[in-house]
């Protein structure tokens, strides 16, 4: 009996361990899938062809949800109350191809806001927000077609340099309008139209800087001249008083005569 019990128990042990390994792998994969596919409470996640579309439109969001599925391909965050796009906001979304942030209250975009998705992102919509300016490096290396229409842009050198590096949506390019500008005459005009006319905002920037430097140097020069004049006048007055004092003293010859007279008398 012992000869048969040993192998039988061994086979049962192997079968049991096999089932345990199978279920362990199954639950491990399931848990991993759930952790990757976890959907933010305020959003709706839809799976398409093995990838995820995350729909968070009109959910009164004030910030970008931090717990987005890592396999998100399309992220719709339009019509919320988001005011700021922080650094690395989408860094875990390596498959992200379309990002819609239109119709929010966005005012600021950090330098590294889109780091991590520059290679994958194909469409970026930032239209209808409150953006006046963005850092020159914010859209660095982005290949996406970008919509920046209907924002209160301030037209100056930085914006010009930003636009040179972007692939603007051709359908909305004329809706990128100067709300304000370094030269008031360009306010209310499409940025591209102004730039195409040969205007260079960076020249205005340099001229403004040169004028500011000139005014500053002139101010310092004026202060130095004023100090020199004050110093000379002050010293002239001291010299005049000193000279008058010396004149008021008896001369050496007078002192000698007085001394001789005193000696004679003695």
């Amino acid at each position: 009996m012992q000869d048969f019990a040993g192998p039988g128990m061994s086979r049962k042990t192997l079968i049991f361990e096999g089932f345990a390994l199978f279920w362990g792998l199954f639950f491990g994969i399931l848990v991993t899938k759930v952790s990757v596919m976890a959907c933010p409470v305020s959003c709706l996640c839809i799976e398409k062809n093995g990838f995820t579309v995350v729909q968070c439109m009109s959910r009164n969001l004030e910030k970008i949800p931090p717990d987005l599925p890592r396999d998100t391909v399309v992220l719709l965050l339009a019509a919320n109350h988001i005011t700021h796009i922080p650094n690395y906001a989408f860094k875990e979304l390596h498959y992200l191809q379309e990002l819609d942030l239109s119709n929010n209250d966005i005012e600021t975009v950090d330098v590294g806001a889109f780091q991590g998705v520059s290679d994958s992102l194909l469409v970026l919509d930032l239209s209808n927000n409150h953006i006046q300016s963005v850092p020159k490096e914010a859209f660095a290396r982005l290949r996406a077609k970008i919509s920046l229409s209907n924002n209160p842009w301030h037209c100056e050198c930085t914006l010009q340099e930003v636009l040179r590096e972007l692939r603007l949506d051709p359908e909305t390019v004329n809706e990128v309008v100067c709300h304000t500008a370094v030269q008031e005459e360009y306010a209310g005009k499409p940025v591209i139209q102004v730039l195409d006319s040969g205007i260079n905002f960076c020249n205005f920037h340099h001229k403004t800087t040169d004028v500011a430097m000139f005014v500053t140097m002139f101010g310092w020069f004026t202060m130095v001249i004023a100090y020199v004049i004050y110093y000379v006048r002050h010293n002239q007055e001291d010299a005049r008083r000193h000279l008058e004092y010396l004149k008021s003293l008896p001369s050496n010859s007078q002192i000698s005569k007085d001394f001789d007279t005193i000696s004679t008398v003695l």
Side-chain angles (χ1 to χ4, degrees):
M1 293 293 294
Q2 291 180 356
D3 295 336
F4 293 98
M9 290 298 293
S10 178
R11 284 195 295 273
K12 289 180 180 180
T13 301
L14 289 173
I15 293 171
F16 177 78
E17 290 178 352
F19 274 109
L21 179 61
F22 170 77
W23 287 109
L25 290 172
F26 176 77
F27 282 112
I29 294 171
L30 182 62
V31 169
T32 302
K33 185 67 173 177
V34 170
S35 64
V36 172
M37 294 295 295
C39 190
V41 176
S42 56
C43 302
L44 174 65
C45 297
I46 304 170
E47 187 174 353
K48 288 186 177 181
N49 300 323
F51 295 102
T52 303
V53 175
V54 181
Q55 202 276 88
C56 306
M57 299 174 65
S58 303
R59 301 302 173 95
N60 292 317
L61 297 177
E62 296 181 356
K63 296 181 180 180
I64 297 168
D67 52 347
L68 294 164
R70 294 187 179 183
D71 60 349
T72 300
V73 172
V74 178
L75 177 56
L76 307 175
L77 289 164
N80 283 291
H81 301 294
I82 298 170
T83 60
H84 174 221
I85 307 179
N87 288 321
Y88 310 109
F90 314 101
K91 66 176 181 178
E92 301 294 338
L93 309 183
H94 302 299
Y95 304 101
L96 188 63
Q97 296 183 11
E98 181 178 344
L99 176 58
D100 187 355
L101 286 159
S102 62
N103 296 285
N104 273 278
D105 300 320
I106 298 171
E107 296 180 354
T108 55
V109 179
D110 284 354
V111 173
F114 302 105
Q115 286 192 12
V117 297
S118 57
D119 293 330
S120 63
L121 198 61
L122 301 178
V123 178
L124 173 60
D125 193 346
L126 287 167
S127 61
N128 297 288
N129 279 284
H130 304 313
I131 308 171
Q132 295 183 353
S133 63
V134 291
K136 186 168 59 175
E137 301 82 5
F139 300 125
R141 296 182 298 277
L142 274 180
R143 299 178 300 170
K145 181 174 66 175
I146 301 176
S147 177
L148 300 173
S149 60
N150 298 314
N151 280 281
W153 293 107
H154 176 63
C155 290
E156 39 77 44
C157 184
T158 300
L159 180 61
Q160 176 178 313
E161 293 178 343
V162 167
L163 294 180
R164 281 178 176 173
E165 305 297 326
L166 295 186
R167 180 174 159 239
L168 288 175
D169 180 3
E171 296 181 1
T172 63
V173 67
N174 289 322
E175 297 172 6
V176 182
V177 176
C178 297
H179 183 72
T180 56
V182 290
Q183 293 285 339
E184 293 184 2
E185 60 188 289
Y186 303 117
K189 296 183 179 180
V191 183
I192 299 302
Q193 178 182 323
V194 174
L195 296 179
D196 286 346
S197 68
I199 299 302
N200 188 337
F201 290 120
C202 293
N203 283 345
F204 295 136
H205 174 74
H206 294 152
K207 288 179 181 178
T208 302
T209 303
D210 292 342
V211 170
M213 290 180 63
F214 175 78
V215 170
T216 302
M217 292 177 65
F218 181 77
W220 278 105
F221 181 75
T222 302
M223 290 176 63
V224 171
I225 294 298
Y227 176 77
V228 170
I229 293 174
Y230 168 80
Y231 180 82
V232 170
R233 287 182 176 178
H234 181 75
N235 281 275
Q236 283 180 341
E237 182 67 21
D238 287 346
R240 184 183 64 79
R241 291 177 181 176
H242 185 67
L243 183 60
E244 290 178 352
Y245 172 75
L246 292 176
K247 287 181 178 179
S248 66
L249 294 175
S251 64
N252 291 333
S253 59
Q254 183 65 35
I255 293 175
S256 299
K257 289 180 180 180
D258 293 343
F259 181 77
D260 294 339
T261 303
I262 293 172
S263 298
T264 302
V265 173
L266 292 176

